Amino acid sequence: MKLLSKLALLIAFIATILALNLNAQTPAAADTNTVPAAATVSHSSVPASPAEHEVVVPPAAPAVFHVMGLPITNSMICTWIVGALILIVVRSTTHNNIKEVPSGMQNVLESLVELWDGLIGDILDKRVTRWVFPFATTFFIFIVISNLMDLVPGVGSIGFEPPDKSSFTPLFRPPTTDANLTVVMAGIFLIMSLFWAVRYNGFFGLIKHIFGVKMETNKITYPLFFLLFLFIGAMELLSIVFARPVALAMRLYGNIFAGQSILDMIFHSKELWFTLLLSSCMYFYETFVCVVQAFVFAMLVVAFVGTMCTTDESHSH
């Protein structure tokens, strides 16, 4: 009976999500569905209106309002909600409420901490683990909740429009579908990783770690290998300051933005059976993608830091 009740609750939850999102259409989509046949015939001779070319999910997060000239976008509002949610949950489950035998949310948080501590401890030095653990764990928790906001009913479909109904501005947008946020997180990673690398190796030790000859040589072959590793070091430096942050930012943004765009197109379909079938599959798939992308981001942060905070004992000449 318990299994049946849980299954019934799951089906009811999915049905509620579908019901709340089926009619979440932008004015542009609604206007397109009501265009007269005559207007369709003369489409080739009449310039297209801006609404006809409107992107369902714009790459740039639109501003909802301004504060002292500073635009406040819908992704910023959603970011504040995610941050407040994390603070409330952690505060309410850990402050003056820690039990010797954990249960409920305390058990979930402790399991998450132990999991990440074990994963990071297997990759990094113990000293580096103490630095990176809270950083990577916070990234994972924030990103996975931000990604899952894409599946919350009303996100992307509740909003407002001007009197002429020429556009539609959603009030909420998943934070990680805004490239500004993912780029900022990648920038924070870059600054902290360089700080930890200098702290672990020392400034000149880091230079030696990047550009130094990492193999045994003799006096005759050393100049040749020095030039070779100087070139390799230049490529490594380019990877550290550019390729790695860009890969972190664009991978996360691209995957979550694509998922939101696909879901939005599915819910704007004219066929009800098509919407029900694909949305049911996409919700499960997108949940998997949201969790995996958060895990990948956090683990890449750990791995990238690990490549700069290692001891090269084989260096000799």
Side-chain angles (χ1 to χ4, degrees):
M1 292 299 294
K2 290 184 178 180
L3 180 60
L4 291 176
S5 62
K6 291 180 180 179
L7 183 60
L9 287 175
L10 177 61
I11 295 174
F13 176 72
I14 296 175
T16 302
I17 291 176
L18 295 175
L20 290 173
N21 283 283
L22 279 177
N23 294 323
Q25 294 189 0
T26 61
D31 293 343
T32 303
N33 295 337
T34 58
V35 173
T40 305
V41 173
S42 61
H43 181 270
S44 59
S45 60
V46 178
S49 63
E52 293 175 357
H53 295 290
E54 182 180 353
V55 181
V56 176
V57 182
V64 178
F65 58 91
H66 293 75
V67 176
M68 300 179 62
L70 178 66
I72 305 299
T73 64
N74 48 14
S75 65
M76 293 172 63
I77 295 175
C78 219
T79 302
W80 296 338
I81 294 175
V82 171
L85 179 63
I86 294 173
L87 290 176
I88 292 172
V89 171
V90 173
R91 180 75 174 179
S92 61
T93 55
T94 59
H95 182 67
N96 295 330
N97 194 29
I98 298 178
K99 302 176 182 178
E100 185 175 352
V101 180
S103 61
M105 186 57 66
Q106 181 185 340
N107 195 19
V108 173
L109 293 176
E110 289 190 8
S111 300
L112 181 62
V113 168
E114 291 178 0
L115 173 65
W116 274 106
D117 185 52
L119 287 174
I120 298 175
D122 292 338
I123 300 174
L124 302 178
D125 180 85
K126 290 183 178 180
R127 184 159 61 105
V128 182
T129 299
R130 291 197 302 269
W131 305 337
V132 181
F133 170 74
F135 185 78
T137 305
T138 302
F139 260 154
F140 174 76
I141 295 174
F142 174 76
I143 292 173
V144 74
I145 296 178
S146 298
N147 291 350
L148 292 173
M149 291 295 290
D150 186 22
L151 306 178
V152 176
V155 174
S157 59
I158 296 177
F160 57 91
E161 58 187 15
D164 58 358
K165 298 183 179 182
S166 59
S167 62
F168 175 79
T169 303
L171 188 59
F172 307 107
R173 173 175 173 146
T176 44
T177 61
D178 188 349
N180 292 303
L181 177 66
T182 59
V183 168
V184 168
M185 290 193 297
I188 295 173
F189 153 75
L190 174 62
I191 294 172
M192 294 306 300
S193 63
L194 291 176
F195 171 74
W196 288 324
V198 172
R199 186 178 179 183
Y200 183 85
N201 300 283
F203 179 76
F204 293 105
L206 179 61
I207 299 299
K208 182 180 178 181
H209 176 76
I210 297 175
F211 295 98
V213 178
K214 302 174 181 65
M215 61 181 299
E216 294 184 1
T217 62
N218 53 45
K219 294 182 180 180
I220 298 176
T221 59
Y222 178 76
L224 178 61
F225 281 105
F226 175 77
L227 293 176
L228 174 62
F229 279 95
L230 189 65
F231 174 76
I232 295 175
M235 296 296 101
E236 178 70 11
L237 183 62
L238 180 64
S239 172
I240 291 172
V241 301
F242 179 74
R244 294 178 183 180
V246 169
L248 283 174
M250 294 299 103
R251 178 186 289 106
L252 179 61
Y253 165 72
N255 279 279
I256 306 305
F257 179 79
Q260 187 196 21
S261 300
I262 293 173
L263 281 174
D264 199 87
M265 287 188 291
I266 290 174
F267 284 117
H268 281 79
S269 173
K270 299 178 182 178
E271 301 292 337
L272 179 61
W273 67 267
F274 180 82
T275 300
L276 292 173
L277 177 63
L278 282 190
S279 60
S280 300
C281 299
M282 270 300 297
Y283 260 82
F284 288 104
Y285 174 74
E286 191 64 18
T287 301
F288 173 77
V289 170
C290 290
V291 176
V292 167
Q293 287 304 317
F295 179 79
V296 168
F297 190 100
M299 288 306 297
L300 284 178
V301 166
V302 174
F304 290 158
V305 172
T307 61
M308 294 190 291
C309 297
T310 56
T311 302
D312 184 15
E313 298 178 352
S314 64
H315 173 68
S316 65
H317 52 271

